[in-house]
Amino acid sequence: MNVKIEDSWRQELAAEWDKSYFARLVDFVKSEYATTTVYPPGGEIFAAFNATPFDKVKVVILGQDPYHDVNQANGLCFSVRDGVPFPPSLMNIFKEIHDDLGKPVPQSGDLSRWARQGVLLLNSTLTVRAHCAGSHQNKGWEQFTDEVILRLANDREHLVFILWGSYAIKKGAFINRMKHLVLTSPHPSPLSAYRGFFGNKHFSRANQYLVEHGIEPIDW
């Protein structure tokens, strides 16, 4: 199957393209885009991969679904298009960065600036029907993104995996903690941020680990 994705990822995930689950997933996604409104736009489904080649990944932040309201999702987890008001979770992420690193809250919620530095902003499910959270779960995306995490965990060294909330923590449970840094905390959602997301210092801890292993830190 000819999947429009960045070349290093195309090669790394080559075994997935012709698997039966992926063919079913493609048929489902194509049907959804043809018959209803789906986010992100079709050309941005693999935006996280296209912005961050396999061998350039330094940090993985794992989300769940894309945002499902108008003009929010841009293919990068927790990120919104330039000019779009910050969703509550993203606002809390910026608050934690401010408290952790002293950086001011940015004007834009477009996190592509992180992606270009090597932060893979990976949702577990890469598409969603408009205004219908979770609508594309259990259609095959989770199997695909499990394989993405497995490839990174097995074939790379000294990555930082940032897992917020029980869903992400469970999805990354198999990652070798001797080979990579795995940071976990409650989710930045307003429902849970005050139960341990605030004060987790994941951004400074990620950079400290990267520097210790001779890797350029992220300008958060």
Side-chain angles (χ1 to χ4, degrees), residues 17 40 83 130 141:
W17 311 132
W141 279 131

Side-chain angles (χ1 to χ4, degrees), residues 61-101:
I61 297 180
L62 184 61
Q64 191 164 355
D65 273 5
Y67 296 122
H68 54 79
D69 285 337
V70 178
N71 289 331
Q72 287 185 312
N74 65 358
L76 309 176
C77 74
F78 294 106
S79 176
V80 293
R81 298 182 181 284
D82 194 21
V84 173
F86 302 159
S89 290
L90 181 58
M91 189 68 240
N92 286 340
I93 289 169
F94 288 150
K95 286 180 179 177
E96 175 58 24
I97 292 172
H98 172 73
D99 292 345
D100 186 10
L101 300 172

Side-chain angles (χ1 to χ4, degrees), residues 114-165:
W114 295 359
R116 290 190 294 268
Q117 297 179 71
V119 182
L120 182 67
L121 294 161
L122 180 66
N123 274 316
S124 178
T125 302
L126 300 189
T127 56
V128 67
R129 188 180 295 184
H131 315 300
C132 193
S135 50
H136 286 189
Q137 292 178 4
N138 302 314
K139 301 296 184 181
W141 279 131
E142 294 90 346
Q143 184 173 343
F144 174 73
T145 52
D146 281 350
E147 185 64 22
V148 170
I149 298 168
L150 180 65
R151 294 289 99 231
L152 287 165
N154 287 353
D155 296 352
R156 296 287 312 279
E157 292 185 342
H158 307 315
L159 299 181
V160 181
F161 291 87
I162 297 179
L163 311 177
W164 294 324

Side-chain angles (χ1 to χ4, degrees), residues 206-217:
N207 277 353
Q208 180 181 356
Y209 179 84
L210 294 175
V211 170
E212 287 173 354
H213 290 89
I215 302 167
E216 186 76 17

Side-chain angles (χ1 to χ4, degrees), residues 21-47:
Y21 89 88
F22 196 80
R24 291 192 299 271
L25 172 62
V26 168
D27 287 345
F28 168 77
V29 170
K30 284 183 175 179
S31 175
E32 286 285 282
Y33 274 93
T35 59
T36 188
T37 301
V38 177
Y39 298 124
E44 297 178 348
I45 293 173
F46 293 114

